[in-house]
Structure formats: structure tokens, C-alpha cells
């Protein structure tokens, strides 16, 4: 089952926001995340907030699109009520779960509610995640017609034994097909890969990179497999049925990915993300990392507007009850003080190609930079220009870098 939500202060029943959120709004874009909390089966490594048919406790997938539309309308009223000026939405992202388990008409209705409420900026980025076995050519065509611009496929690996360890259900042969259909429909394509799966060899990973690059995606994400507490994979490892992922192998795999992707013309712009060019970076993810405003719709979704962060009730049944009662689905919230916002900027910006302005560091953090350059984790020339930018070794050690930049 998915992990627990944070604690925090109670969220108001009407979802209203304090007037303080207006401050600095001219420098912030608005994005919308729509969570779709359903999967056909749960992959053994995943603790995202998603539910299979027998975990729904009375929630109905058929009701979900309307509930999400109701939250979008509530969001429109709340942002206006807080005194925020009308802002067309820059990016929309449907994530999950498996958004494409819903009929395409449901996704289209949810997107229409965003357009009706705020409008979209010219050239807005509208993405959905999709499992390769959950879409066909007609479905992708319908998404493009509805206004989607981009699809992110959960490819994970090209090697059947690795997919089996991850308990992924799709046939790897389907990936080239869905990519072609998406392209034919005029959609940009991103591929998600996972490395460091127990039993995965460097040759396996090399093959997955080759196959991914043969598809000529616009964007690629490569995530190191995280063994999340409470997952089936964690239990299998504890019982000795599956090997523990090996850190050294995962580091070699990251380096191989970075070499291979760079040689194919992809530039890294965040530790785990590469794009064909600047235009194809995920603008939605950039807006999280750069502290813009986003409204997260759906069970367990998180939102951030002007330094106030909140999260929704977690289970789709509880979410449905709140929406049916005309109440905000907010479960808890917190207002970030200036120091917390600074710490978050450090945590996020240091993982990005543009780096972290040294002015965001406190004196102790600034003093740590020279040692990080000497260790080969931070680019010396960039530091002279006032930015902390990770070297490739530094990217592998990003968490350790953060601990040195934010000493407790
Ligand atoms: C939560 S999924 C949602 C999209 C879709 N259901 C899929 O699986 O592709 C988004 C991405 O998170 C990745 N992910 C989930 N759990 C992970 C973990 N424990 N370690 C690394 N990546 C993970 C998935 O493999 C997927 O590429
Ligand atoms: S399909 Fe995606 S969201 Fe669903 S369980 Fe697997 S990784 Fe998690």
C-alpha cells in the first residue's frame, strides 16, 4: 500500500488561501497536476498513491473524472478568492497511477475543465503518463485532438527478465509501436527508464539504453530503483528472495547512461533527466523545481501556491466523499517560512544544470563549496561565477553534496 501523508495544520473546509499568496505572483507561472489513482496491477517496487480494482473500497473509476473536474472548479474559485490575478495555465500534467486506464474522453473532460477555468498560455505543455500496454493508435490520436502535446511512456527496460523482476506487465516489443503511434498523432515523446534493478547487468542496461535511443525520444528520464519501505520488493529483499540493489553497479549504470545519452545529443538538465534540446525539457517538472505555483488535483495530490503547500486526502473513496459534499479535499497544509523556502531552493536547484546561486547558501554552506570543488563534485569555474553546478561524480553523490551545503 502507498506510504503515509505528512502531518501539518488542518486545511480549511472551503480550501481558502491566505492573502499572503499574492506576494510575488508576477514571477510565478501556474501549472496543474491531475492525479489518476488507478492501476490494473501494482508493480512490486511502487508505493505511489494508486489502487487496483479490489482496493477501491467503494470508489468508482467511472465517477473519477467528474470529481476531478469539480476540484478544478473549486481551484478556480479558491485562487480568485485569494485575490490572485487570472493566469492562464503554462503546463498540465496527468500522472498516476495510470491515467490512460480511463477512457480518453475522461482525460479530455478533465483537460477541458482546466481550459474553461483558466485558459492555457500559447504553446502550453500538456502531458500524460502512459503505460505502453494501456494505449493504442486511436487512443493517442484522441489525446492529441483533445489538446495533449506530450506523452511519457513507462518503458523502464527493454529486457524481459528485468521487467519481470519489476513486475511490469507490458511486452517490451510494444514500446516502438506506441512511440510511433504517438509521433504519428503529433505528440512529443518521453521515455522513463529504471536502472539498478536486482539481477540487471550492465549489458542489460546498455541494451535498454540502445532500444530507448533507437526510438529517438524528445526526452528521457532515468531513475535509480528506490526500494521503498512497505513494498513487495522490500519484503522480497528482506526475505533474501531477491538481491539487494548494488550501489556501485547503479553508479556505473548512471555513468553509462550519461555517456550514451550525451553521445546521442541529449543534454542533462536535472540529475535524472535529459532532453534533445532546451525546448524539450519538461516544463512542468521545471516549474516544481523552480518554485512556481501548481494545483494538484486528486487523491493524495500536493499543491503549492505562494509559499503555502497542502495535500489532499489520500484514498479515492475519501476524496469522492469530500467532492460529493462540496468540500475541499485538502487534508493538511503548511505555510513555509523564509528559511524553509531557502532550504528547499538549495535541495532542488543543486540537482539542476543551471545550478544553485551561491547567494542561496548560508555562510557555512558557502564555506563547504571549496571542499566540494577539491573532491571533484562541483564545477570550479561555475563556482567562480557564483553558481554551484554538479560534476558527473557530483550528480551521483547529489544527496551527499546537499548534506554538506546544508549542515545541520
Ligand atoms: C508512478 S509511475 C506513473 C506512470 C505509469 N504508471 C508508469 O508506471 O509508467 C511514474 C514513474 O515512476 C517510476 N517509479 C515508481 N516507483 C519507483 C521506484 N521505487 N524507484 C524508481 N522509480 C519508480 C515508475 O517506474 C514510472 O516510470
Ligand atoms: S503502473 Fe506505474 S503507478 Fe502503477 S504500480 Fe506500476 S509503477 Fe506504480
Amino acid at each position: 500500500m502507498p506510504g503515509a501523508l505528512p502531518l501539518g495544520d488542518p486545511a480549511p473546509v472551503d480550501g481558502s488561501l491566505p492573502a499572503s499568496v499574492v506576494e510575488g505572483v508576477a514571477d510565478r507561472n501556474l501549472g496543474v497536476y491531475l492525479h489518476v489513482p488507478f492501476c490494473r496491477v501494482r508493480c512490486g517496487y511502487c508505493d505511489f498513491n494508486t489502487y487496483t480494482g479490489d482496493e477501491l473500497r467503494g470508489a468508482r473509476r467511472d465517477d473519477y473524472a467528474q470529481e476531478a473536474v469539480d476540484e478544478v472548479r473549486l481551484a478556480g474559485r479558491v485562487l480568485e478568492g485569494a485575490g490572485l490575478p487570472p493566469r492562464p495555465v503554462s503546463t498540465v500534467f496527468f500522472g498516476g497511477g495510470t491515467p490512460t486506464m480511463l477512457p480518453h474522453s475522461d482525460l479530455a473532460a478533465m483537460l477541458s475543465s482546466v481550459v474553461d477555468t483558466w485558459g492555457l498560455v500559447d504553446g502550453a505543455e500538456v502531458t500524460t503518463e502512459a503505460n505502453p500496454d494501456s494505449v493504442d493508435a486511436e487512443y493517442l490520436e484522441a489525446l492529441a485532438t483533445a489538446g495533449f502535446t506530450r506523452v511519457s511512456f513507462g518503458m523502464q527496460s527493454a529486457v524481459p527478465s528485468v521487467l519481470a523482476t519489476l513486475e511490469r506487465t507490458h511486452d517490451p516489443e510494444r514500446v516502438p509501436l506506441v512511440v510511433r503511434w504517438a509521433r504519428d498523432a503529433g505528440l512529443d515523446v518521453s521515455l522513463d527508464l529504471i536502472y539498478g534493478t536486482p539481477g540487471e547487468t550492465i549489458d542489460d542496461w546498455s541494451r535498454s539504453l540502445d532500444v530507448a535511443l533507437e526510438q529517438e525520444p524528445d526526452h528521457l528520464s532515468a531513475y535509480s530503483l528506490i526500494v521503498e519501505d512497505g513494498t513487495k520488493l522490500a519484503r522480497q529483499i528482506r526475505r533474501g528472495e531477491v538481491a539487494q540493489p548494488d550501489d556501485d553497479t547503479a553508479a556505473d549504470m548512471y555513468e553509462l547512461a550519461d555517456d550514451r545519452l550525451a553521445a546521442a545529443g541529449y543534454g542533462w538538465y536535472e540529475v535524472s533527466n535529459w532532453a534533445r534540446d532546451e525546448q524539450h525539457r519538461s516544463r512542468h517538472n521545471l516549474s516544481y523545481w523552480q518554485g512556481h505555483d501548481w494545483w494538484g488535483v486528486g487523491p493524495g495530490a500536493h499543491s503549492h501556491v505562494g509559499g503555502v503547500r497542502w495535500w489532499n486526502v489520500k484514498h479515492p473513496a475519501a476524496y469522492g466523499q469530500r467532492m460529493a459534499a462540496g468540500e475541499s479535499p485538502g487534508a493538511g497544509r503548511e505555510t513555509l517560512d523564509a528559511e524553509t523556502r531557502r532550504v528547499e531552493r538549495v535541495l532542488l536547484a543543486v540537482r539542476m544544470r543551471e545550478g544553485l546561486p551561491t547567494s542561496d547558501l548560508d555562510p557555512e554552506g558557502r564555506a563547504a563549496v571549496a571542499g566540494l570543488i577539491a573532491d571533484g563534485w562541483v564545477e570550479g569555474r561555475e563556482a567562480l561565477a557564483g553558481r554551484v553546478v554538479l560534476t558527473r561524480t557530483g550528480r551521483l553523490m547529489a544527496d551527499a553534496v546537499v548534506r554538506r551545503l546544508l549542515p545541520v
Side-chain angles (χ1 to χ4, degrees):
M1 290 298 282
L5 284 173
L7 294 170
D9 304 323
V13 174
D14 63 358
S16 58
L17 289 168
S20 62
V21 297
V22 175
E23 202 180 307
V25 64
D27 299 326
R28 302 193 308 266
N29 295 333
L30 177 62
V32 179
Y33 171 77
L34 296 115
H35 188 65
V36 179
F38 310 118
C39 285
R40 200 161 54 72
V41 288
R42 176 181 289 278
C43 310
Y45 61 96
C46 176
D47 86 336
F48 276 65
N49 191 38
T50 187
Y51 300 84
T52 54
D54 53 4
E55 295 170 340
L56 288 175
R57 298 209 306 253
R60 284 165 36 87
R61 282 198 288 259
D62 290 353
D63 294 340
Y64 184 65
Q66 184 57 51
E67 292 163 3
V69 166
D70 289 344
E71 187 182 351
V72 169
R73 295 195 177 125
L74 171 100
R77 293 194 297 275
V78 166
L79 295 185
E80 194 182 345
L84 288 159
R87 281 178 294 173
V89 168
S90 302
T91 61
V92 185
F93 195 99
F94 287 69
T98 308
T100 45
M101 258 191 91
L102 296 180
H104 52 70
S105 53
D106 279 4
L107 301 193
M110 290 155 77
L111 177 57
S112 284
S113 72
V114 171
V115 177
D116 293 347
T117 303
W118 295 287
L120 297 180
V121 300
D122 276 350
E125 178 191 276
V126 182
T127 306
T128 186
E129 293 182 329
N131 293 25
D133 50 3
S134 65
V135 290
D136 58 18
E138 184 262 329
Y139 192 104
L140 292 163
E141 189 71 46
L143 290 184
T145 305
F148 284 76
T149 63
R150 188 171 178 271
V151 59
S152 171
F153 289 116
M155 169 179 168
Q156 321 306 351
S157 171
V159 178
S161 62
V162 174
L163 291 171
T165 305
L166 293 171
E167 300 192 326
R168 297 291 302 196
T169 53
H170 66 268
D171 175 353
E173 303 280 319
R174 197 163 170 88
V175 170
L177 272 180
V178 292
V179 170
R180 183 156 52 76
W181 292 333
R183 287 235 175 276
D184 289 349
L187 296 163
D188 282 352
V189 171
S190 178
L191 296 176
D192 272 8
L193 295 173
I194 286 186
Y195 61 93
T197 300
E200 184 181 30
T201 64
I202 289 280
D203 282 350
D204 290 337
W205 176 235
S206 174
R207 162 115 192 98
S208 293
L209 288 167
D210 285 344
V211 174
L213 286 171
E214 278 163 21
Q215 313 315 313
E216 301 184 351
D218 302 293
H219 182 278
L220 261 149
S221 304
Y223 297 111
S224 168
L225 178 69
I226 310 288
V227 180
E228 303 282 2
D229 285 346
T231 56
K232 180 171 169 195
L233 178 66
R235 288 193 293 281
Q236 289 170 319
I237 291 174
R238 211 174 37 243
R239 292 198 293 255
E241 295 161 11
V242 168
Q244 180 82 38
D246 175 66
D247 286 349
D248 290 340
T249 311
D252 291 345
M253 289 176 169
Y254 183 82
E255 292 190 350
L256 183 66
D258 195 51
D259 283 342
R260 204 61 80 71
L261 296 177
Y266 293 82
W268 76 280
Y269 68 98
E270 192 273 348
V271 169
S272 306
N273 287 279
W274 288 259
R276 181 153 78 72
D277 51 39
E278 268 195 45
Q279 289 68 46
H280 289 92
R281 293 177 175 184
S282 162
R283 279 185 273 142
H284 188 79
N285 283 341
L286 283 169
S287 74
Y288 294 148
W289 302 327
Q290 293 169 342
H292 289 280
D293 290 348
W294 72 89
W295 191 292
V297 171
H302 284 59
S303 302
H304 168 264
V305 175
V308 179
R309 191 160 56 191
W310 70 96
W311 46 92
N312 286 350
V313 291
K314 197 154 183 184
H315 197 281
Y319 179 80
Q321 282 155 15
R322 291 276 188 108
M323 298 323 298
E327 293 174 0
S328 155
R333 81 176 188 192
E334 58 195 6
T335 303
L336 308 176
D337 60 24
E339 176 58 8
T340 311
R341 291 172 86 164
R342 182 189 75 82
V343 166
E344 295 211 342
R345 278 201 305 277
V346 172
L347 282 167
L348 297 169
V350 83
R351 300 174 62 87
M352 298 179 56
R353 174 67 189 85
E354 271 61 39
L356 161 78
T358 33
S359 53
D360 273 345
L361 292 169
D362 66 7
E364 269 184 285
R366 272 198 290 278
V369 174
L372 289 166
I373 295 170
D375 289 342
W377 290 1
V378 160
E379 305 274 5
R381 206 184 317 194
E382 298 271 8
L384 279 177
R387 305 193 81 78
V388 177
V389 175
L390 299 179
T391 60
R392 184 161 73 181
T393 321
R395 281 186 264 153
L396 275 165
M397 306 302 294
D399 293 342
V401 172
V402 164
R403 284 194 290 278
R404 284 168 62 178
L405 294 175
L406 291 171
V408 275

